[in-house]
Amino acid sequence: MKKSLFLALTVSIGLSLSACGEYSQVASYKPGNYQGKSDTRPWEGGQFAGNKQAWEAALNSRNQAQNEYKKAN
Amino acid sequence: MARMKFLCDAERCIECNGCVTACKNEHELPWGVNRRRVVTINDGVPGEKSISVSCMHCSDAPCMAVCPTDCFYKTEEGVVLHNKDACIGCGYCFFACPFGAPQFPSGPAAFGARGKMDKCTFCAGGPEENGSKAEFENYGRNRISEGKLPACAEMCATKALLAGDAPVISDIFRDRALRRGKAGDAAWGWTTAYGKPEQAAPAPAAKEGAK
């Protein structure tokens, strides 16, 4: 009787303690990836029709035009 | 082509709000949505400073990091754009943004009822056909694909607001600072926006059939 009680207690204690594991509560950060619609690049289609050099040249001239010292002198 | 950036020279900004007006007009933005605005520090006090603020298209954009639907992407030119079809209007990007750039058409409503987020696109449109009606209605005009710079910077009367290739606008600003003898409170927001290394976020592949 005592032996079976001891066995039952040992098993129940063992089982109850087995649920006491310690797990990390910190979420691991995973950077997401864009899954949406694809976009056309600026020089594709429309005015420049895929001519990247012409697009870059147009943008560069606009960039330089922001320097008013070059305009004035 | 290098990296597109904005540079606002606080020594030059005269708070005319020309950039705000140009932006609203260019993209036909609804009432309540201000992709760009002018903030004045110590307004009315001698020595007040004004800064034109919008999305700075950060190197390591916090909005991209927090978006639960991953609706943001970055173009090859470093412009941070988003896909409105995927936006759920949660407003996380607004809380993450150091510049208060994300705008919601329904204002401070509840989750989702705010409407889809709207922000400065560097006049580069969005994930629709360049120059299409759908692109204009959702994201505004695509000036970049027309070989033009953002309307706000091109309209700036004092050239306080510069936009374009980072090396070019840096050179313009350096030249300016040397001539006037001081940098002043200039290049506002650059460390916040561009102080971190460029985030490796490849732009979505070009559409099929495009060159």
Side-chain angles (χ1 to χ4, degrees):
Chain A
M1 180 65 187
K2 271 189 177 177
K3 203 174 182 180
S4 61
L5 190 68
F6 177 75
L7 262 174
L9 270 172
T10 314
V11 169
S12 64
I13 288 168
L15 281 173
S16 60
L17 284 177
S18 68
C20 294
E22 193 174 324
Y23 300 99
S24 173
Q25 303 275 311
V26 182
S28 59
Y29 171 71
K30 288 178 192 165
N33 284 315
Y34 177 71
Q35 303 288 332
K37 287 191 279 189
S38 60
D39 193 6
T40 42
R41 285 176 288 194
W43 57 88
E44 288 169 349
Q47 190 179 332
F48 292 97
N51 189 347
K52 192 180 177 187
Q53 281 74 33
W55 175 75
E56 284 186 346
L59 218 59
N60 192 46
S61 71
R62 291 255 180 177
N63 265 323
Q64 298 293 348
Q66 291 183 106
N67 191 353
E68 75 279 19
Y69 288 118
K70 283 192 178 171
K71 287 186 200 170
N73 299 324
Chain B
M1 183 57 60
R3 170 75 167 79
M4 295 295 190
K5 287 181 182 175
F6 277 123
L7 192 155
C8 184
D9 187 345
E11 294 291 315
R12 283 197 176 205
C13 182
I14 55 168
E15 200 196 354
C16 70
N17 278 282
C19 49
V20 178
T21 312
C23 177
K24 294 261 317 178
N25 180 58
E26 192 76 5
H27 306 297
E28 294 180 16
L29 298 175
W31 180 256
V33 172
N34 289 296
R35 291 184 179 181
R36 179 169 285 285
R37 64 216 177 279
V38 177
V39 175
T40 303
I41 314 291
N42 295 333
D43 203 355
V45 178
E48 66 172 35
K49 289 277 157 52
S50 297
I51 312 149
S52 179
V53 188
S54 79
C55 170
M56 293 287 275
H57 303 274
C58 301
S59 303
D60 187 6
C63 54
M64 289 179 82
V66 299
C67 179
T69 60
D70 292 326
C71 75
F72 289 92
Y73 65 97
K74 195 177 267 195
T75 69
E76 288 174 30
E77 298 80 43
V79 178
V80 177
L81 298 175
H82 72 299
N83 175 18
K84 284 194 180 179
D85 293 348
C87 178
I88 54 171
C90 66
Y92 286 10
C93 51
F94 179 78
F95 296 115
C97 179
F99 303 102
Q103 301 284 300
F104 294 90
S106 305
F111 187 100
R114 293 183 180 97
K116 292 179 187 296
M117 188 273 279
D118 190 271
K119 74 168 191 71
C120 160
T121 62
F122 208 88
C123 287
E128 299 287 350
E129 196 66 41
N130 286 343
S132 64
K133 193 175 173 228
E135 186 180 55
F136 181 77
E137 283 173 355
N138 285 319
Y139 307 99
R141 196 171 149 200
N142 191 340
R143 289 171 59 89
I144 294 291
S145 74
E146 296 168 6
K148 297 170 184 169
L149 290 172
C152 52
E154 294 210 303
M155 287 291 281
C156 182
T158 60
K159 288 284 166 272
L161 185 63
L162 301 171
D165 255 353
V168 179
I169 59 168
S170 299
D171 279 348
I172 294 172
F173 178 67
R174 196 175 298 114
D175 184 22
R176 188 184 286 181
L178 285 170
R179 283 171 192 260
R180 72 183 175 208
K182 62 170 182 175
D185 299 319
W188 180 88
W190 260 45
T191 315
T192 310
Y194 313 124
K196 289 180 184 173
E198 191 73 28
Q199 192 184 41
K207 277 181 181 166
E208 278 181 32
K211 283 178 189 174

